[in-house]
C-alpha cells in the first residue's frame, strides 16, 4: 500500500518537465499563463449554492480571496463543494444532511488528490460543510486557512426584538395552537432572513464558524463579522494573502489542529452554550487529525468550564450582539485562565494573540459571575445510553435536574410529528424517538421541527425528547440526542416500550430505563437484526458503514 504522503503532489511536481505538458495545456486553455503556473497554486474551496443565504455570499467572497492570492504572488484555482442547508433539508431531506459532511471531505480529497495544489483556502457555509472541510484539511495536511462567511443581520420586529430562523420554527407551534394569527405567521416567514449570511443564532452554522476561529484555523475576528459588512471583504483579501505566506512557511493543519487546540475549541463551545452537533464534528475532526477525543474528555472540559454567554435560541441576543461584544476573542479573554495559550494558529502566532477585550458586557459574563457554573452541554450515560447521549442544558430554562417520566415511543420523526399535531401531549411526557441514528435513519436526522413545535406550544421545557438522532443547533428545550448505541445496531433505546419509566438525572449525568438488568438482557436478546433502511446509492453505502454517534458518526 502506498504511503499517504505519496498520494498528493504539489504544483511543481504536477507541471514539471515533459510530462507536465498535459496539465499545463489544460490550465493554459482556461487562461493561466506559463508564469502563473510557476507560482504557488492555491485551491479556493467554496461551499456554494443559490438555495440558501449561508452559502450565497461565498461566490463573491471567493473573488476577494483570489485577489489577495494574486497580490501575494500566488495563483488561485477556484472549485466548489455541495452546500446543504438544514433548514431546507427538514424532514425527508435531513437523511442527507449529516452524510453531506463526508461528501464534502471526500470531494475535496478527490480534487486535491487529482490536481497539484500547494495550499488551500476554505470558504465553508453552514452546519456540515465546516466539519467536512476541517476533516479534509486534517486529512490532506497541506497549508490551509479558512474564511467563515459570517452571520446575517437580524430583522427587528415591532417590539424591537431581533428575529432569527429558530423563531420561524417556533412560530409553527404557536400558529398551530392559535397563539399568533396568520398575518404575523407570514411576516415571520417573510422577514426573518433579512440579509445573506449564516442564520444569526448560535446554531450549528455559527457554532462551527466560531470553532474554526477558536481552533486558530482562520484569522482573528473572521467568524463573527457579518457577511454583508465591507470588513468581511477585507478579511477575504487578507486571508488570500496569508495562505501564500503559509505555503512559504510550510505551516500545516496538523501543527494547528492539535489536542491542545481541540481542547480549546471544546472549552469555547461550552462557554457559549453552542450546538450539540459540534460534539459530533469535533470528534470526527480529531480522528482525522489522529487525536483521541472521547465523550468523557468533552464532559470533563464541560464540567470545568462555566457558561459565560448565551445567544439565540438560548437567549434574546444574536450573533450580531456577539460580534459587537468582541466575538471569539472576547470569550477567550474571559476564559483565558482555562485555555492552552501557546498553541499555533494560521497567523503563525499563538492563540493568545486572538484574545480581545470585551467591547460590550451586556451579553458576556465573567468567570466569577457566569450564567451557569458548568458548560452548556452535558454528557449523560446509563442503561439507556451506555456509550453516551448529550443535552444542551444552556437551552433548557426550567427542566428539573432529575425527572422520572412515562415513555411514549416513536419509530420515526414522522410518527412523532403526527402525534404532536393530532394527539395530546402533556407536561412530564418522555417522548422516545428511535431508528433515527447514523445507520438506522440513515443520516441521524435532527428532530428540529418537533422540538420547535413543542416549544411554540409552551411545552419545550416540560416535555422531554430522547432520540438516537440529533437536534438542531437552533433547538432549545428538554432535548436529549445522540443516544448511543443507536436502536438500529441493537442499542437499549430499541427495547423501550410505551409505559416504561425513564429516569433523566442531569445532575448525576444519568439516563436510565427503570428495568432490572435481567429484563434489559431478555428484551435485547429478543431483538431481530435489522437490514439497512436504504440499499442503493450513497445513503446505502453510508448506512452500512457509518460509525456510532459517540465516535463522531464518521464514515468508516
Amino acid at each position: 500500500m502506498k504511503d499517504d504522503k505519496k498520494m498528493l503532489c504539489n504544483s511543481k511536481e504536477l507541471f514539471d518537465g515533459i510530462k507536465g505538458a498535459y496539465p499545463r495545456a489544460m490550465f493554459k486553455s482556461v487562461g493561466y499563463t506559463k508564469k502563473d503556473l510557476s507560482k504557488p497554486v492555491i485551491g479556493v474551496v467554496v461551499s456554494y449554492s443559490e438555495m440558501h443565504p449561508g452559502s450565497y455570499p461565498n461566490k463573491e467572497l471567493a473573488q476577494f480571496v483570489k485577489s489577495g492570492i494574486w497580490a501575494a504572488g500566488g495563483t488561485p484555482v477556484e472549485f466548489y463543494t455541495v452546500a446543504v442547508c438544514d433548514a431546507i433539508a427538514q424532514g425527508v431531506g435531513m437523511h442527507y444532511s449529516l452524510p453531506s459532511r463526508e461528501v464534502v471531505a471526500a470531494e475535496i480529497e478527490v480534487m486535491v488528490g487529482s490536481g497539484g495544489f500547494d495550499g488551500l483556502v476554505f470558504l465553508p457555509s453552514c452546519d456540515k460543510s465546516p466539519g467536512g472541510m476541517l476533516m479534509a484539511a486534517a486529512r490532506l495536511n497541506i497549508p490551509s486557512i479558512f474564511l467563515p462567511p459570517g452571520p446575517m443581520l437580524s430583522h427587528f420586529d415591532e417590539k424591537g426584538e431581533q428575529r432569527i430562523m429558530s423563531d420561524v420554527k417556533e412560530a409553527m407551534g404557536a400558529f398551530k395552537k392559535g397563539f399568533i394569527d396568520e398575518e404575523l405567521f407570514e411576516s415571520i416567514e417573510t422577514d426573518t432572513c433579512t440579509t445573506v449570511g449564516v442564520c444569526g443564532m448560535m446554531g450549528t452554522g455559527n457554532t462551527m464558524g466560531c470553532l474554526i476561529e477558536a481552533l486558530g484555523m482562520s484569522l482573528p475576528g473572521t467568524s463573527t463579522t457579518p457577511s454583508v459588512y465591507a470588513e468581511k471583504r477585507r478579511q477575504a483579501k487578507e486571508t488570500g494573502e496569508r495562505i501564500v505566506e503559509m505555503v512559504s512557511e510550510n505551516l500545516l493543519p496538523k501543527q494547528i489542529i492539535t489536542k491542545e487546540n481541540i481542547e480549546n475549541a471544546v472549552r469555547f463551545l461550552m462557554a457559549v452554550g453552542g450546538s450539540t452537533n459540534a460534539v459530533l464534528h469535533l470528534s470526527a475532526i480529531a480522528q482525522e487529525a489522529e487525536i483521541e477525543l472521547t465523550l468523557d474528555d468533552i464532559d470533563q472540559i464541560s464540567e470545568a468550564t462555566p457558561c459565560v454567554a448565551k445567544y439565540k435560541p438560548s437567549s434574546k441576543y444574536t450573533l450580531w450582539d456577539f460580534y459587537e461584544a468582541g466575538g471569539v476573542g472576547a470569550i477567550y479573554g474571559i476564559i483565558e485562565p482555562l485555555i492552552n495559550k501557546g498553541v499555533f494558529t494560521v497567523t503563525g502566532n499563538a492563540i493568545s494573540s486572538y484574545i480581545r477585550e470585551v467591547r460590550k458586557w451586556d451579553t458576556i459574563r465573567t468567570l466569577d459571575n457566569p450564567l451557569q457554573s458548568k458548560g452548556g452541554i452535558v454528557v449523560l450515560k446509563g442503561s439507556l445510553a451506555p456509550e453516551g447521549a448529550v443535552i444542551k442544558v444552556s437551552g433548557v430554562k426550567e427542566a428539573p435536574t432529575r425527572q422520572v417520566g412515562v415513555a411514549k415511543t416513536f419509530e420515526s420523526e414522522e410518527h412523532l410529528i403526527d402525534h404532536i399535531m393530532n394527539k395530546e401531549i402533556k407536561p412530564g411526557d418522555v417522548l422516545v424517538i428511535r431508528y433515527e441514528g447514523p445507520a438506522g435513519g440513515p443520516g441521524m436526522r435532527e428532530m428540529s421541527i418537533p422540538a420547535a413545535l413543542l416549544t411554540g406550544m409552551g411545552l419545550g421545557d416540560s416535555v422531554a425528547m430522547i432520540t438516537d438522532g440529533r437536534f438542531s443547533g437552533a433547538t432549545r428545550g428538554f432535548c436529549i440526542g445522540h443516544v448511543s448505541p443507536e436502536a438500529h445496531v441493537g442499542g437499549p433505546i430499541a427495547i423501550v416500550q410505551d409505559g416504561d419509566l425513564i429516569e433523566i438525572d442531569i445532575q448525576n449525568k444519568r439516563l436510565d430505563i427503570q428495568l432490572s438488568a435481567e429484563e434489559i438482557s431478555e428484551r435485547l436478546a429478543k431483538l431481530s437484526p435489522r437490514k439497512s433502511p436504504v440499499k442503493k446509492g450513497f445513503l446505502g453505502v453510508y448506512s452500512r458503514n457509518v460509525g456510532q454517534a459517540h465516535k463522531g458518526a464518521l464514515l468508516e
Side-chain angles (χ1 to χ4, degrees), residues 151-280:
M152 65 173 60
L153 297 180
S154 302
H155 173 79
F156 285 83
D157 66 16
E158 62 281 355
K159 298 178 182 177
E161 295 184 1
Q162 295 179 77
R163 191 184 286 163
I164 49 91
M165 198 60 191
S166 61
D167 295 323
V168 177
K169 290 187 290 187
E170 293 179 13
M172 296 176 190
F175 183 58
K176 163 70 178 173
K177 293 289 285 186
F179 296 157
I180 61 174
D181 61 22
E182 185 174 357
E183 183 180 359
L184 178 55
F185 183 56
E186 185 174 355
S187 76
I188 292 172
E189 172 190 328
T190 302
D191 299 330
T192 294
C193 292
T194 305
T195 71
V196 295
V198 179
C199 296
M201 57 194 169
M202 193 59 83
T204 307
N206 278 311
T207 295
M208 291 306 299
C210 289
L211 286 177
I212 288 169
E213 184 179 340
L215 276 168
M217 287 297 291
S218 70
L219 296 178
T222 50
S223 65
T224 54
T225 301
S227 183
V228 296
Y229 275 21
E231 182 182 3
K232 178 62 69 177
R233 279 94 192 124
R234 295 192 293 271
Q235 290 171 348
K237 284 187 177 180
E238 291 164 358
T239 298
E241 292 171 351
R242 178 57 191 152
I243 188 59
V244 178
E245 296 170 348
M246 290 175 67
V247 170
S248 176
E249 298 163 7
N250 196 32
L251 181 55
L252 305 177
K254 285 187 179 179
Q255 295 173 265
I256 300 168
I257 305 175
T258 61
K259 185 170 181 62
E260 292 76 17
N261 252 348
I262 288 277
E263 289 174 351
N264 283 347
V266 174
R267 206 172 289 282
F268 171 85
L269 172 67
M270 300 308 169
V272 298
S275 170
T276 51
N277 286 317
V279 173
L280 287 173

Side-chain angles (χ1 to χ4, degrees), residues 389 431-434 436 445 447 465-471 480-483 493:
L431 312 179
V432 179
I433 312 98
R434 57 198 174 196
E436 290 288 7
R445 287 194 293 179
M447 305 295 109
M465 295 176 63
I466 300 173
T467 182
D468 52 8
R470 302 181 291 117
F471 288 100
I480 299 169
H482 306 195
V483 171
I493 191 172

